[in-house]
């Protein structure tokens, strides 16, 4: 588990099969989880929601599957961390590429980082993960945190190690 994703992911920050209808509800769930672990300040939630209004983070992968990577400024972060939520049903997030487009997001990566270099490395790691859509589908379908972690582990393995 050498990926920056794994280094920053506390298994307790995995939220599988979340039932939410809005981006704000998903961000609130991630914020509560990250705050309970001492990773973010209470201000993180509102700061992320405000940032999403200006700079949305939805990333389309196919017509019916997208991910989002909400984050905000370092002053709302107590220590580096990551939360992942998979959604029971897709939740609308606006597209990073075109904010007029609404995407059906199934996985949300909530970033809590204090350093610009860490943020770049984390986003690159997530971009690499997005290159394995079949494993993202397995993550989205995971019944619990252990199953999601297993799918994430497999997605992070080098391609040459696959059977």
């Amino acid at each position: 588990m050498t990926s920056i994703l794994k280094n920053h992911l506390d298994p307790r920050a995995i939220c599988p099969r979340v039932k939410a209808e809005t981006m704000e509800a998903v961000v609130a769930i991630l914020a509560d989880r990250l705050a309970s672990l001492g990773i973010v300040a209470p201000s993180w939630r509102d700061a992320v929601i405000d940032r999403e209004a200006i700079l949305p983070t939805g990333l389309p992968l196919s017509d019916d599957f997208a991910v989002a990577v909400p984050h905000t400024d370092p002053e709302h972060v107590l220590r580096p961390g990551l939360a992942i939520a998979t959604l029971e049903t897709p939740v609308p997030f606006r597209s990073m590429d075109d904010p007029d487009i609404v995407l059906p997001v199934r996985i949300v990566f909530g970033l809590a980082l204090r350093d610009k270099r860490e943020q770049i490395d984390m986003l690159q790691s997530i971009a690499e993960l997005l290159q394995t859509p079949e494993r993202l589908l397995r993550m989205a379908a995971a019944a619990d945190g252990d199953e999601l972690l297993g799918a994430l582990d497999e997605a992070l393995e080098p391609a040459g190690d696959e059977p």
Side-chain angles (χ1 to χ4, degrees):
M1 293 191 204
T2 59
S3 165
I4 190 169
L5 288 174
K6 296 300 286 184
N7 292 339
H8 285 77
L9 180 62
D10 182 322
R12 298 171 296 173
I14 295 174
C15 306
R17 316 287 300 171
V18 168
K19 294 178 183 167
E21 294 184 13
T22 66
M23 173 274 294
E24 294 85 356
V26 175
V27 169
I29 290 165
L30 293 175
D32 288 347
R33 186 65 58 95
L34 289 168
S36 74
L37 295 170
I39 294 171
V40 300
S43 59
W44 188 85
R45 181 191 61 174
D46 289 341
V48 168
I49 290 169
D50 291 347
R51 186 182 186 285
E52 279 290 320
I54 299 165
L55 297 166
T57 62
L59 296 165
L61 299 178
S62 68
D63 289 339
D64 61 346
F65 192 94
V67 301
V69 190
H71 56 284
T72 194
D73 299 322
E75 68 249 23
H76 307 285
V77 177
L78 303 174
R79 64 181 176 89
L82 167 70
I84 299 175
T86 60
L87 306 171
E88 186 75 29
T89 58
V91 171
F93 275 72
R94 292 184 311 127
S95 173
M96 180 186 294
D97 295 331
D98 182 350
D100 292 330
I101 295 174
V102 176
L103 302 171
V105 167
R106 301 272 311 277
I107 301 175
V108 180
F109 298 88
L111 306 185
L113 301 170
R114 298 194 50 82
D115 176 273
K116 282 274 190 211
R117 183 68 207 157
E118 258 183 338
Q119 185 174 357
I120 291 167
D121 291 346
M122 180 73 76
L123 292 172
Q124 287 175 335
S125 187
I126 290 171
E128 289 172 21
L129 179 62
L130 300 181
Q131 302 305 309
T132 56
E134 66 283 347
R135 293 206 176 112
L136 284 170
L137 289 171
R138 287 187 40 217
M139 286 175 63
D144 58 34
D146 288 338
E147 192 176 328
L148 192 148
L149 262 179
L152 181 60
D153 281 341
E154 288 180 23
L156 296 175
E157 289 175 0
D161 291 351
E162 294 180 341

